Amino acid sequence: MNEAILIEGNIENIVYSNPENGYSVVDLNVEGKLVTAVGIMPSICVGEKVRLMGIWVNHPSFGRQFKADKCERTLPKTAGDMLRYLSGGAIKGIGPSTARKIVERFGEDSFDVLENHPEELAQIKGISRDKAMEMSERFKSQFAVREVIIALERFNMNSSECLSAYKAYGSNAIERITENPYILCSDKVGLRFERADEIAMSFPTQVKGIFRQRAGIIHILKHNLRNGHTCLPRAKIIAPAAELLGIECDEVRTVIDELIEDKELVEDFIDDKSYLFLPYEYYDEKAIADRIKIMLRFPPASGRALEKDIENIEKEKGIEFEDKQKQAITTAVTKGLLVLTGGPGTGKTTTLNGILSIFKKRKLRVLLAAPTGRAAMRMSEVTGRQAKTIHRLLETEWTDGDRQIFARNIENPLEADAVIVDELSMVDTHLFAALLNALPLGCRLVMVGDSDQLPPVGAGNVLQDIISSELLPTVCLTQVFRQAMESLIVTNAHKIVGGEYPTLDVTDKDFFFLSRGDVASTADTVTELYTNRLPKAYGYDPLTDIQIICPSRKGMTGTVSLNTALQKILNPPSPDKEDMERGSKLFREGDKVMQIKNNYDIIWTKGKEVSSGIFNGDIGRIIAINHNASFMKIDFDGRISLYPFDNIGELELAYAITVHKSQGSEFDAVIMPVCNVIPQLSYRNLLYTAVTRAKSRIILVGTKQQVKEMVDNDKKTRRYSFLKHLLLKD
């Protein structure tokens, strides 16, 4: 590993700078030699003198450059450097002409005048007293962030962490962190508890005490939030917190009581058993329960009888609804609330289109939504109507403090008489609460999903909690239609969810099994199928028609290893293709990629439509990589986005993806390795979810024993949530 070194020089040119995170590319004059430096350098300006700590690296396109981990800057001291600095536009309102006048008048005292004696600037012709004061405020604001960052770096914080703290607490950041270093792991800054603990080591012992204990307990709840829990039993927090913090269990109990009293935690009970929540999670679940109860008490007017309408739709479409489908259509109209569930081939789409036809006949304004872009696109395809992601439907916005809000809410509700949401199993508590909050009074809500699929990536278990409460009208479609029964994908999916072993020996259908005895041969076969055999046999394009879906990211049959191998085969290095490397990630023009985090700021165009937002699970293809402008052009299912290099951490190769990331999507052909799956991921509904992602063909590669173990393991991952209890609570 290269040893960090120190270089010092003047900023000659800023090639690129991201104001959000401070990442910059600059030309630096080091002892008369121009070098390229990259790293977190917030609010950097031409003319500044900086000291950078870091290492020399070789960029594949731009050659040797200095990668800075730490940046210290000093103000220009000579009149010449001050003139150059001010002329470069560092201070808004001071251009080259004004800069020259200031420096000619005040020389090396120019900065002191700007900061401490702005009234003297009014002596210069063309500068009024008001303008002088404005210049001074902008000058001081420009350097406030730098002073804070320099001070915070003494606490062993890197530039990125310093910038986050400054954005959260402004000029008070030093005082706030000195008082309590554990505010760094608050939602405002977002550092891990472990990292805040490292930083706090440089503080006096008396500072840490109770702040550390409170932060540690909240950290345990946040950690479990990422695992899908909206709450935890109080009893399950005590021992882990005591171990983490190195204190006695009784002391943990005392701190928990204090957090509850200070409203930093919420406590509620089921049969005298205490559960603890982060406040926003509790109030999200409570908001859901309260709104559903109101909707049940005040259903919309159903109007004329339905029987004739249903008969007319059957005649128009040449179909005959089975009894449960008719029940679902009737419920959607008369009750205003409907949960519609069912596995593949049970007629959910037919039922959904029947509901839409009834709504249309009654001239209702209907909005369609799904949790992911691909799910929304599929919903549009099967209904012939526009569907949006829930985030787009709610018009996601961000506050100045980087907090997500929705423009559609109780004060600005959706303009709709009915909203239909597909893939509800993927919707977490926070998003569902926001959706309900945006429904106007009297609006119908139809919720469609498959409760046997995996729960959402986010916290909560909305669909399962709603169904198990038995409070809402629920129709579960169970009849598999004759046409669907001809598909082995459908029949095997129903066998799996019912605890039966799938048929693995038939070779003339759409469900195939290839036996391989070890992980290495399984990985080789998966790779060969994807790159050669399936494209040759069926004319599939690997990038658009085939998807490898893996139980895990790790191991030879995990997504990381397979993606690396497939990139080398399908998209090797070429003089005609640009690539870029950031940390362990390497992307190349032509690569298939996936967004792994919601990003509401990335701009995209689709024809004449211009919008923003690329979401977790969106799959795309890199069209171009522009190093000069520091962005990639990526095609996400027809949405052409300019993707900044600074967001590369939110992107992964997608030749192979995990089952969890595949939710809400369908693919013509699916390949799934099933060999040596770790016990934590060897369970029934994970296999079921993967199988139901395939539209035309699925191939399992591995061992029959592994398939049987997954079918036998019906132990669903326990999620602690409170929605069912709140729904049933008087």
Side-chain angles (χ1 to χ4, degrees):
M1 185 178 252
N2 293 337
E3 189 174 343
I5 60 171
L6 182 70
I7 65 171
E8 188 171 344
N10 292 312
I11 303 292
E12 296 288 331
N13 179 44
I14 299 172
V15 180
Y16 170 80
S17 184
N18 185 325
E20 292 298 315
N21 59 19
Y23 182 83
S24 304
V25 181
V26 303
D27 292 327
L28 189 67
N29 187 335
V30 181
E31 298 179 350
K33 185 179 179 181
L34 208 62
V35 302
T36 300
V38 302
I40 305 296
M41 296 177 258
S43 306
I44 206 75
C45 296
V46 171
E48 277 191 282
K49 189 173 184 177
V50 295
R51 302 174 77 225
L52 303 179
M53 182 70 72
I55 59 172
W56 290 101
V57 297
N58 283 307
H59 191 278
S61 299
F62 301 110
R64 195 166 185 253
Q65 55 185 219
F66 192 80
K67 184 180 179 182
D69 294 319
K70 199 170 190 177
C71 172
E72 296 178 0
R73 61 251 303 174
T74 58
L75 289 176
K77 291 184 172 58
T78 69
D81 286 342
M82 289 180 182
L83 175 60
R84 191 159 171 273
Y85 177 84
L86 293 174
S87 299
I91 310 300
K92 189 177 178 182
I94 301 180
S97 175
T98 304
R100 181 176 52 78
K101 292 177 183 178
I102 293 172
V103 175
E104 284 179 353
R105 180 66 181 259
F106 300 108
E108 293 182 359
D109 294 327
S110 296
F111 281 9
D112 181 59
V113 170
L114 273 165
E115 185 174 8
N116 301 311
H117 310 287
E119 66 280 356
E120 295 184 20
L121 293 170
Q123 301 171 15
I124 298 173
K125 188 177 179 180
I127 300 179
S128 66
R129 183 176 177 86
D130 287 346
K131 188 175 179 181
M133 295 302 171
E134 190 176 323
M135 286 178 180
S136 178
E137 287 303 312
R138 286 172 175 166
F139 180 83
K140 287 187 281 190
S141 172
Q142 179 73 25
F143 289 99
V145 61
R146 303 167 187 213
E147 291 171 0
V148 171
I149 287 173
I150 290 169
L152 291 178
E153 284 177 339
R154 300 198 311 267
F155 302 146
N156 193 32
M157 295 171 64
N158 61 42
S159 297
S160 179
E161 293 167 343
C162 292
L163 184 61
S164 296
Y166 178 81
K167 287 172 71 175
Y169 301 110
S171 57
N172 295 321
I174 301 167
E175 181 183 347
R176 295 287 303 275
I177 295 168
T178 303
E179 179 185 328
N180 174 15
Y182 291 94
I183 63 169
L184 293 169
C185 55
S186 68
D187 291 334
K188 282 188 174 182
V189 183
L191 297 193
R192 294 177 295 105
F193 173 80
E194 295 83 358
R195 177 64 183 134
D197 220 19
E198 288 176 10
I199 294 167
M201 294 299 291
S202 60
F203 287 73
T205 305
Q206 64 268 24
V207 170
K208 295 184 284 187
I210 188 63
F211 295 128
R212 181 174 187 269
Q213 294 170 11
R214 293 166 75 101
I217 291 166
I218 290 172
H219 159 73
I220 290 173
L221 279 166
K222 284 184 176 179
H223 176 78
N224 281 279
L225 189 69
R226 291 192 289 273
N227 291 333
H229 306 292
T230 63
C231 59
L232 282 179
R234 179 174 177 137
K236 287 189 174 293
I237 295 178
I238 306 297
E243 184 177 354
L244 173 70
L245 299 168
I247 60 178
E248 297 297 323
C249 290
D250 284 346
E251 197 169 355
V252 173
R253 294 184 182 95
T254 300
V255 176
I256 288 174
D257 289 338
E258 292 172 356
L259 286 167
I260 295 168
E261 186 176 343
D262 294 340
K263 297 183 170 33
E264 291 188 51
L265 294 182
V266 174
E267 184 178 35
D268 206 338
F269 298 85
I270 300 177
D271 298 330
D272 296 327
K273 187 177 181 179
S274 167
Y275 289 82
L276 298 177
F277 304 75
L278 296 169
Y280 51 87
E281 287 299 323
Y282 180 78
Y283 293 115
D284 275 346
E285 290 197 303
K286 191 172 186 309
I288 293 170
D290 290 347
R291 182 58 191 271
I292 285 175
K293 289 175 184 178
I294 291 172
M295 294 175 75
L296 288 169
R297 283 180 62 193
F298 302 102
S302 59
R304 65 182 184 269
L306 280 170
E307 291 81 358
K308 194 66 178 173
D309 283 344
I310 293 174
E311 287 176 14
N312 289 336
I313 291 169
E314 288 178 318
K315 287 176 183 177
E316 290 168 10
K317 297 183 179 294
I319 59 175
E320 184 176 346
F321 296 116
E322 59 108 358
D323 289 345
K324 283 192 175 181
Q325 291 177 312
K326 290 179 182 178
Q327 180 190 346
I329 295 169
T330 303
T331 302
V333 176
T334 60
K335 301 294 186 183
L337 271 174
L338 169 68
V339 178
L340 177 65
T341 73
T346 57
K348 288 200 301 292
T349 298
T350 302
T351 308
L352 180 58
N353 282 322
I355 293 170
L356 279 168
S357 297
I358 293 287
F359 286 168
K360 184 179 179 181
K361 285 182 179 293
R362 298 185 176 219
K363 296 182 169 46
L364 301 183
R365 298 169 299 171
V366 184
L367 295 175
L368 306 184
T372 68
R374 293 182 74 87
M377 185 169 62
R378 196 178 80 230
M379 195 180 188
S380 296
E381 290 170 354
V382 300
T383 63
R385 298 172 61 106
Q386 183 190 28
K388 296 181 178 180
T389 64
I390 299 174
H391 290 92
R392 284 192 66 200
L393 188 74
L394 299 178
E395 300 174 19
T396 302
E397 298 176 347
W398 288 89
T399 66
D400 293 338
D402 288 338
R403 186 171 65 86
Q404 176 189 326
I405 59 172
F406 298 105
R408 294 292 183 173
N409 50 47
I410 195 168
E411 296 175 352
N412 181 32
L414 296 165
E415 295 169 6
D417 302 306
V419 172
I420 301 176
V421 183
D422 198 11
E423 298 285 357
L424 191 68
S425 64
M426 297 178 63
V427 180
D428 62 33
T429 299
H430 177 68
L431 189 58
F432 193 61
L435 176 64
L436 292 183
N437 190 46
L439 296 183
L441 292 174
C443 183
R444 293 169 170 82
L445 178 63
V446 177
M447 297 159 279
V448 185
D450 185 346
S451 60
D452 291 312
Q453 289 189 26
L454 296 172
V457 174
N461 205 2
V462 172
L463 178 60
Q464 193 59 54
D465 281 351
I466 287 175
I467 293 172
S468 60
S469 75
E470 299 182 357
L471 188 67
L472 278 73
T474 300
V475 177
C476 181
L477 303 177
T478 55
Q479 180 182 326
V480 180
F481 288 88
R482 182 174 57 80
Q483 187 176 355
M485 288 294 292
E486 295 173 2
S487 165
L488 199 54
I489 293 174
V490 172
T491 55
N492 273 343
H494 284 275
K495 282 185 175 182
I496 291 167
V497 83
E500 298 178 45
Y501 299 139
T503 301
L504 301 179
D505 299 324
V506 176
T507 58
D508 61 345
K509 293 273 190 175
D510 51 9
F511 190 112
F512 299 89
F513 175 80
L514 297 180
S515 180
R516 297 293 185 270
D518 57 73
V519 174
S521 60
T522 298
D524 289 343
T525 301
V526 168
T527 303
E528 175 67 11
L529 284 165
Y530 187 82
T531 59
N532 186 29
R533 290 170 61 177
L534 286 183
K536 280 186 177 179
Y538 302 102
Y540 288 144
D541 181 343
L543 297 182
T544 58
D545 302 327
I546 312 173
Q547 186 60 60
I548 298 172
I549 298 179
C550 306
S552 172
R553 289 175 50 83
K554 300 177 180 179
M556 291 182 69
T557 56
T559 58
V560 175
S561 178
L562 286 172
N563 275 321
T564 301
L566 290 164
Q567 184 189 49
K568 290 178 181 177
I569 298 170
L570 292 172
N571 197 26
S574 167
D576 301 325
K577 293 181 179 180
E578 292 286 341
D579 58 27
M580 68 91 59
E581 191 170 4
R582 186 69 58 85
S584 61
K585 296 186 176 184
L586 171 66
F587 297 104
R588 186 170 295 120
E589 290 175 350
D591 273 336
K592 183 178 182 179
V593 292
M594 171 180 274
Q595 181 74 9
I596 60 171
K597 181 182 178 182
N598 289 341
N599 189 314
Y600 305 90
D601 298 325
I602 295 176
I603 306 295
W604 56 261
T605 59
K606 188 175 184 179
K608 294 182 179 179
E609 183 183 5
V610 181
S611 189
S612 65
I614 301 296
F615 301 109
N616 189 356
D618 285 350
I619 293 175
R621 186 174 184 179
I622 299 174
I623 302 171
I625 296 176
N626 188 325
H627 286 283
N628 291 328
S630 296
F631 71 79
M632 295 190 288
K633 185 183 286 186
I634 305 179
D635 181 350
F636 289 99
D637 291 319
R639 294 168 296 154
I640 310 300
S641 72
L642 296 182
Y643 201 98
F645 282 4
D646 297 312
N647 295 111
I648 290 299
E650 301 173 2
L651 208 63
E652 287 184 351
L653 292 174
Y655 302 103
I657 63 177
T658 64
V659 179
H660 286 85
K661 291 295 185 186
S662 74
Q663 286 181 269
S665 299
E666 282 187 344
F667 310 94
D668 285 329
V670 169
I671 307 167
M672 182 184 186
V674 283
C675 182
N676 201 30
V677 180
I678 61 173
Q680 299 93 311
L681 295 171
S682 183
Y683 53 92
R684 187 185 299 173
N685 63 340
L686 186 132
L687 178 62
Y688 172 78
T689 301
V691 169
T692 54
R693 299 309 90 204
K695 290 194 290 187
S696 303
R697 190 162 281 101
I698 184 167
I699 303 169
L700 304 183
V701 184
T703 67
K704 290 184 179 180
Q705 182 59 33
Q706 181 68 74
V707 175
K708 290 179 178 179
E709 286 176 9
M710 295 181 81
V711 172
D712 288 339
N713 183 8
D714 191 31
K715 186 180 178 182
K716 295 181 180 177
T717 305
R718 175 70 187 271
R719 283 205 171 192
Y720 289 105
S721 61
F722 219 66
L723 179 57
K724 177 182 175 180
H725 173 71
L726 291 169
L727 284 167
L728 297 175
K729 194 174 182 181
D730 294 332

